[in-house]
Amino acid sequence: MTLDLKENQRAEEERRIQQIVRDNLERAANFESEGRLDEAMSTLGQALAVVPDHPEASAAMERLKDKVAAEQVAEDLQARITRLVEQGKSLLAASQYGEASSVLSQAYSLRPSDDVQSLLNEAQTGLRSELDMRNR
């Protein structure tokens, strides 16, 4: 009787653990679909705290880590482009066309856009005018 009771308790404990993992996997998937990646990772962490080697939870955690890293790279790139464009605008305003052209060219090479192309054209036109004036 004691052996059966212990087996039943163990089986019940295993069912509860699996339910916790399933619930956390489902919640994490919902968070991920809503773009709430930090919350998804936290929820997966709870599942992995209960079953550290759970294959589905481990794979989901790795996928989310990769997704977060990719988002960070994209954010860093956008911040760099924004800084370059702002620097280019300041150089244009100061009639420093050569420097503006260089900076805006970098921004355009990172992510081509009509706005940056327009600013780059303005810088290059100013630079050409500057060079024409020197050659006269």
Side-chain angles (χ1 to χ4, degrees), residues 25-79:
L25 283 169
E26 184 177 324
R27 286 181 48 225
N30 289 335
F31 285 140
E32 182 180 4
S33 71
E34 295 170 0
R36 297 163 58 186
L37 301 184
D38 289 340
E39 291 169 84
M41 289 176 72
S42 176
T43 303
L44 286 171
Q46 293 171 16
L48 290 168
V50 176
V51 183
D53 59 349
H54 191 276
E56 188 179 348
S58 295
M61 182 65 86
E62 287 305 310
R63 187 185 69 253
L64 283 174
K65 285 179 183 178
D66 291 345
K67 201 172 192 179
V68 167
E71 284 185 359
Q72 186 61 49
V73 167
E75 288 173 13
D76 291 348
L77 177 63
Q78 185 57 48

Side-chain angles (χ1 to χ4, degrees), residues 4-134:
D4 285 342
L5 182 58
K6 285 185 179 183
E7 284 180 19
N8 285 342
Q9 287 174 339
R10 237 181 268 133
E12 180 57 31
E13 181 69 15
E14 183 60 30
R15 279 192 293 277
R16 282 191 307 216
I17 289 171
Q18 291 306 317
Q19 186 61 48
I20 289 169
V21 171
R22 278 193 305 275
D23 290 347
N24 282 317
L25 283 169
E26 184 177 324
R27 286 181 48 225
N30 289 335
F31 285 140
E32 182 180 4
S33 71
E34 295 170 0
R36 297 163 58 186
L37 301 184
D38 289 340
E39 291 169 84
M41 289 176 72
S42 176
T43 303
L44 286 171
Q46 293 171 16
L48 290 168
V50 176
V51 183
D53 59 349
H54 191 276
E56 188 179 348
S58 295
M61 182 65 86
E62 287 305 310
R63 187 185 69 253
L64 283 174
K65 285 179 183 178
D66 291 345
K67 201 172 192 179
V68 167
E71 284 185 359
Q72 186 61 49
V73 167
E75 288 173 13
D76 291 348
L77 177 63
Q78 185 57 48
R80 181 168 181 219
I81 292 167
T82 299
R83 280 192 308 274
L84 288 168
V85 169
E86 292 306 314
Q87 184 182 4
K89 287 178 179 179
S90 294
L91 290 165
L92 271 174
S95 299
Q96 296 177 355
Y97 301 113
E99 293 88 349
S101 182
S102 176
V103 168
L104 292 167
S105 181
Q106 289 176 50
Y108 188 80
S109 71
L110 292 172
R111 182 169 295 136
S113 75
D114 292 341
D115 291 340
V116 175
Q117 181 65 59
S118 177
L119 291 168
L120 182 55
N121 290 344
E122 183 181 340
Q124 290 171 340
T125 299
L127 182 58
R128 280 191 294 276
S129 293
E130 213 174 65
L131 292 172
D132 285 345
M133 295 293 271
R134 286 185 197 162

